[in-house]
Amino acid sequence: MTMAATHHDTSVETAAPPTRKQPDRTALLLAPGVLWMLLFLVAPILMMVYVSFWTQTTFKIEPTLTLKSWVAFFSSETYLGALWTTIRIWLIVLVSTLLVGYPAALFVGLFVKNKTLSTALLVLCVIPFWTSFLIRVLAWRPMLGKEGAINMILMKIGVITQPIEVLLFSELSVIIGMTQIYCVFMVGPIAFMLGRIDPSVIEAAQDLGAGFWRIFRTIILPLSMPGVVVGAIFVSVMVLGEFATSAALSGRKVNLLGNIIVTQVGSLKWAFAAVAGVVLTILMGAVVAALLRVVDLRKEL
Amino acid sequence: MPSLAAFARPADCEAFREKSGPELVGTEVTSVLQLKNVHKAFSGVPALAGVDAALSENSYVSLLGPSGSGKTTLLRVIAGFDQPDGGEILFAGKRIDSIPPHERGIGFVFQNFALFPHLSVAQNIAFGLSNRAVDPVTDTKIVAAKVRDMIGLVGLSGLEDRAVTQISGGQKQRVALARTLVTEPSMVLLDEPLGALDANLRTRMRGELRTIRERCGVTFLHVTGSETEALAMGDTVLVLDRGRIAQSADAGTLYSRPASADVARFLNCYNIFPGAVSGDAFESPVGRLALGGTRLTSGKQAYAIRYDRVAIRPRDAAAAGDEVRIEASFVASEYSGAAINSFFTLDDGRVFEVETHLSHAAPEAFEEKARYALVWKREDALVFD
Ligand SMILES: Nc1ncnc2c1ncn2[C@@H]1O[C@H](COP(=O)(O)OP(=O)(O)OP(=O)(O)O)[C@@H](O)[C@H]1O
Ligand SMILES: [Mg+2]
């Protein structure tokens, strides 16, 4: 017995080809990540899909499968309204972060020739994150409010006679707030891609006779598209899942899917929350898939 | 005359000797580009310290200079990417100092090619035609026809739709050149266009660049750090040294009559001794070298003798009356194609190089560390004073 065991051991030792080590190591390196994702991302999402078909009564939820919550979601004004508001705000914020972020990225990534300076400027963009979300929201109120700084100044110089009320507790304030918070996620990737453009490529275009706007349209914009797509994915995923900014700046007037989920969970309506969660997840997946089709990222990066 | 055999010309010179004919005679050639006292400094350090030059129409001009001598800076100033601090640049008789690069009509071929990475070969070549601000070609048929002709001219047929990231270095070089030539510039600046290519391809592209230029009939200003490339390619060679044009001459003249010891040093085919003329000899660290050769006026005194004008003799061989003789110990030899280069150390530690052409003599085996007599004719030496 002992003999056999020893024999077995050595044969394994010698028979094992050196290449077998490779897949072993791959599996070992990937295992923690994959396990983590399965346990805490894939399983909960599947669970959420499952729960969305459970039966919800006022006080409890039972694992009896039904379509009731789904029907309720898609026949309710409130929920469909929230879905529409989410999509609308997402689109507006996406466009406004692009409009504010692209010129900033263009400056940081292309016009600032000094690499140290451009890195420093990118770090500056992150400074808003040195304060907490709550403090920033708190700070916007005296700025945007009815008696806030903007209204005061506009009244003083006589541009308006009545304070503009939509500045705070409206969709506009939510859009202003979100653009401010998420702009840097647009600037970063675009500035990175612009920084990788060889300056002599732009000089070559100049030398061939093209003016600035032509060069921008035919060279700079196409070469920065991967950055735009990555930035758009960052912003989209974060804005679609938002609830805090709208809660703090809209005075409960703007309800996003995220806010619906928060209230439903708060009132223990798990099945409804799960339906909203599944809808939101599908929406995000569709948006990311659509954005990825714009540019072949694997080829460009 | 067996002794003459040892003083034969190197093979490298053959290429330019054929072509340095008619231009020399001096028919009135108009200059397409004139530089007058062009200055440029980077944070106080001068990169161009008063460049004066005139480039004639329809010619191949090479610009030779060591690394850091200001070659790229000069090209960038001519193309308009950098502003000169002072001086005048005249292009076809007009001052262009304040005209932006895209209106100058001067083509620039970058050292790293700078192709548009997201466009195909044909799109790269078509870029200038359809995107230039002045007089763009809007008819896609005309653009396509011109691009097709240009692709044929530079020998890229079959690669039209290939991405420029998926072609070889030599092909990239051709795309870069074609992209510039298709816009019909009045002049093309090339910054070390062959620097990124391997030695074989470099030699082949030399010939092709000259042929392409002759077919287009525009002036090429070709920057290079290689003296063989500069001599082989240029109808005129400009030598740039520390931000100044040290010499402007045809290759034959430059090679046999460098204007200063520094120019001779860049040519990499002269042994140069410092020292001073005293009486009928040049007082050098290796002894008195009898005068008798060409005297040239230049700032610094020096004595120069070409590698291929020196004969190696046994130590006991006597020198003839019109010869100069020094002694040195043999170090090593190096084959370079049709020639063999032998290295000696002189008594003051200086390295002395002799080039012997194998077509004229069978290679001799020299003994390491043994002493030999190195002999040349007085009249072959250049004396700068
Ligand atoms: N953008 C710049 N900023 C500061 N100094 C510069 C700049 N460009 C060039 N220089 C300096 O100017 C001098 C000339 O540089 P240039 O690039 O023209 O040399 P070069 O002859 O092209 O050399 P190489 O053969 O190595 O390319 C160098 O001393 C260089 O350090
Ligand atoms: Mg250079």
Side-chain angles (χ1 to χ4, degrees):
Chain A
M1 187 66 212
T2 358
M3 280 287 280
T6 330
H7 182 76
H8 182 75
D9 280 349
T10 49
S11 80
V12 166
E13 200 92 335
T14 48
T19 47
R20 249 195 62 184
K21 280 234 142 71
Q22 208 58 45
D24 273 1
R25 197 182 308 146
T26 312
L28 214 66
L29 288 173
L30 287 180
V34 169
L35 207 66
W36 186 268
M37 290 297 223
L38 282 176
L39 264 179
F40 299 111
L41 186 76
V42 177
I45 286 178
L46 291 177
M47 199 60 203
M48 177 178 72
V49 175
Y50 183 44
V51 170
S52 74
F53 291 103
W54 285 10
T55 308
Q56 176 84 56
T57 54
T58 320
F59 298 113
K60 59 181 188 203
I61 182 166
E62 282 164 3
T64 327
L65 298 187
T66 168
L67 275 174
K68 247 183 166 163
S69 309
W70 282 90
V71 173
F73 183 92
F74 281 104
S75 51
S76 149
E77 270 309 274
T78 326
Y79 296 156
L80 287 182
L83 179 59
W84 169 234
T85 310
T86 308
I87 293 175
R88 189 177 60 233
I89 290 201
W90 159 64
L91 277 174
I92 296 173
V93 172
L94 191 60
V95 170
S96 62
T97 48
L98 191 62
L99 287 183
V100 176
Y102 201 100
L106 201 59
F107 177 74
V108 172
L110 211 62
F111 289 96
V112 177
K113 296 271 185 277
N114 184 330
K115 283 284 165 223
T116 337
L117 184 59
S118 78
T119 313
L121 286 173
L122 267 185
V123 171
L124 273 180
C125 293
V126 191
I127 283 187
F129 289 84
W130 294 1
T131 63
S132 97
F133 172 76
L134 271 177
I135 293 174
R136 267 177 291 148
V137 169
L138 220 63
W140 281 328
R141 292 196 172 184
M143 190 74 193
L144 300 172
K146 207 166 160 184
E147 274 110 51
I150 292 181
N151 272 325
M152 295 266 276
I153 292 170
L154 287 180
M155 295 227 305
K156 267 264 158 58
I157 58 174
V159 176
I160 49 171
T161 48
Q162 291 285 310
I164 309 170
E165 297 201 15
V166 291
L167 278 185
L168 191 58
F169 301 134
S170 68
E171 201 169 300
L172 182 65
S173 58
V174 174
I175 290 165
I176 293 176
M178 284 193 186
T179 304
Q180 199 277 326
I181 299 173
Y182 298 118
C183 204
V184 65
F185 295 100
M186 193 59 106
V187 175
I190 297 176
F192 173 77
M193 285 311 290
L194 289 172
R196 289 189 358 160
I197 298 178
D198 180 354
S200 59
V201 164
I202 291 166
E203 285 176 344
Q206 253 180 315
D207 187 67
L208 292 171
F212 176 79
W213 287 109
R214 210 30 111 89
I215 295 176
F216 178 76
R217 198 163 63 72
T218 54
I219 310 286
I220 298 173
L221 193 60
L223 287 178
S224 67
M225 267 326 268
V228 173
V229 167
V230 170
I233 289 175
F234 282 165
V235 171
S236 301
V237 168
M238 286 182 289
V239 169
L240 288 172
E242 254 280 11
F243 63 93
T245 312
S246 52
L249 286 179
S250 80
R252 308 221 169 264
K253 276 186 220 150
V254 176
N255 272 316
L256 304 178
L257 275 183
N259 300 99
I260 299 282
I261 297 175
V262 171
T263 21
Q264 296 298 333
V265 169
S267 53
L268 301 179
K269 298 250 167 75
W270 289 101
F272 282 129
V275 171
V278 173
V279 169
L280 190 55
T281 309
I282 291 172
L283 182 60
M284 283 183 183
V287 165
V288 171
L291 283 171
L292 283 177
R293 291 191 78 115
V294 175
V295 172
D296 184 359
L297 278 185
R298 228 176 331 166
K299 202 182 96 197
E300 302 283 346
L301 283 176
Chain B
M1 301 226 301
S3 67
L4 257 186
F7 304 129
R9 287 159 177 156
D12 272 331
C13 310
E14 239 80 78
F16 66 78
R17 201 144 277 129
E18 290 156 16
K19 60 175 202 267
S20 60
E23 283 99 336
L24 281 183
V25 191
T27 48
E28 264 316 306
V29 273
T30 44
S31 54
V32 61
L33 182 82
Q34 266 179 295
L35 303 172
K36 290 182 184 165
N37 198 24
V38 173
H39 281 269
K40 171 87 189 164
F42 290 106
S43 46
V45 185
L48 300 176
V51 174
D52 287 295
L55 273 58
S56 52
E57 229 165 28
N58 194 5
S59 67
Y60 207 118
V61 182
S62 41
L63 178 66
L64 172 68
S67 186
S69 56
K71 305 185 295 291
T72 302
T73 309
L74 183 59
L75 286 202
R76 291 178 60 83
V77 164
I78 297 173
F81 300 137
D82 285 334
Q83 284 301 311
D85 300 336
E88 284 178 33
I89 304 169
L90 288 102
F91 184 63
K94 281 198 308 263
R95 278 198 69 165
I96 53 165
D97 312 33
S98 50
I99 299 178
H102 67 275
E103 288 168 17
R104 291 196 183 193
I106 298 179
F108 197 109
V109 177
F110 289 80
Q111 179 165 10
N112 59 357
F113 311 138
L115 301 179
F116 308 124
H118 58 303
L119 301 180
S120 71
V121 168
Q123 287 169 327
N124 261 276
I125 298 175
F127 184 89
L129 285 179
S130 39
N131 289 304
R132 62 185 173 205
V134 182
D135 181 25
V137 183
T138 43
D139 187 339
T140 48
K141 279 208 199 86
I142 298 178
V143 173
K146 288 196 175 198
V147 168
R148 201 174 332 109
D149 290 349
M150 192 44 70
I151 284 179
L153 177 73
V154 297
L156 280 173
S157 303
L159 294 175
E160 291 86 350
D161 298 321
R162 197 76 78 76
V164 289
T165 44
Q166 290 164 351
I167 55 177
S168 76
Q171 290 161 346
K172 282 183 189 163
Q173 160 72 68
R174 286 161 216 252
V175 176
L177 190 64
R179 181 178 72 173
T180 302
L181 290 179
V182 80
T183 61
E184 292 166 18
S186 322
M187 183 180 171
V188 180
L189 310 173
L190 305 102
D191 192 1
E192 307 206 27
L194 309 180
L197 309 182
D198 67 56
N200 250 331
L201 192 55
R202 201 151 48 209
T203 326
R204 216 177 68 217
M205 285 301 295
R206 274 188 204 172
E208 292 201 16
L209 277 178
R210 281 193 63 86
T211 325
I212 290 170
R213 193 210 69 75
E214 272 156 30
R215 277 191 236 157
C216 303
V218 296
T219 296
F220 273 28
L221 177 58
H222 174 135
V223 158
T224 174
S226 149
E227 69 285 349
T228 44
E229 196 172 300
L231 291 170
M233 302 204 62
D235 300 323
T236 310
V237 183
L238 301 179
V239 181
L240 193 65
D241 179 24
R242 281 161 291 175
R244 273 195 195 84
I245 299 289
Q247 189 167 8
S248 166
D250 67 277
T253 310
L254 180 67
Y255 196 77
S256 52
R257 293 271 182 283
S260 70
D262 286 330
V263 174
R265 193 169 290 120
F266 302 150
L267 293 175
N268 217 6
C269 58
Y270 280 90
N271 293 298
I272 297 162
F273 299 105
V277 176
S278 80
D280 62 346
F282 187 89
E283 216 46 86
S284 84
V286 291
R288 287 173 66 83
L289 307 170
L291 295 180
T294 315
R295 299 280 287 264
L296 297 163
T297 325
S298 92
K300 217 161 58 190
Q301 296 208 24
Y303 183 100
I305 179 70
R306 238 159 81 173
Y307 296 165
D308 59 336
R309 297 286 160 118
V310 181
I312 307 164
R313 307 234 178 102
R315 196 181 173 189
D316 48 17
D322 61 345
E323 287 177 336
V324 177
R325 176 184 181 281
I326 57 172
E327 275 189 27
S329 353
F330 178 73
V331 180
S333 308
E334 213 177 77
Y335 276 96
S336 57
I340 181 165
N341 287 47
S342 309
F343 299 89
F344 294 84
T345 38
L346 304 180
D347 296 336
D348 66 339
R350 194 178 297 275
V351 175
F352 192 94
E353 193 172 338
V354 180
E355 186 174 313
T356 315
H357 282 261
L358 298 180
S359 51
H360 304 296
E364 262 180 273
F366 300 114
E367 206 178 310
E368 209 176 316
K369 295 217 176 90
R371 286 181 73 79
Y372 291 89
L374 303 174
V375 180
W376 58 89
K377 295 199 158 172
R378 285 181 189 181
E379 64 191 44
D380 285 337
L382 298 178
V383 179
F384 299 101
D385 58 0

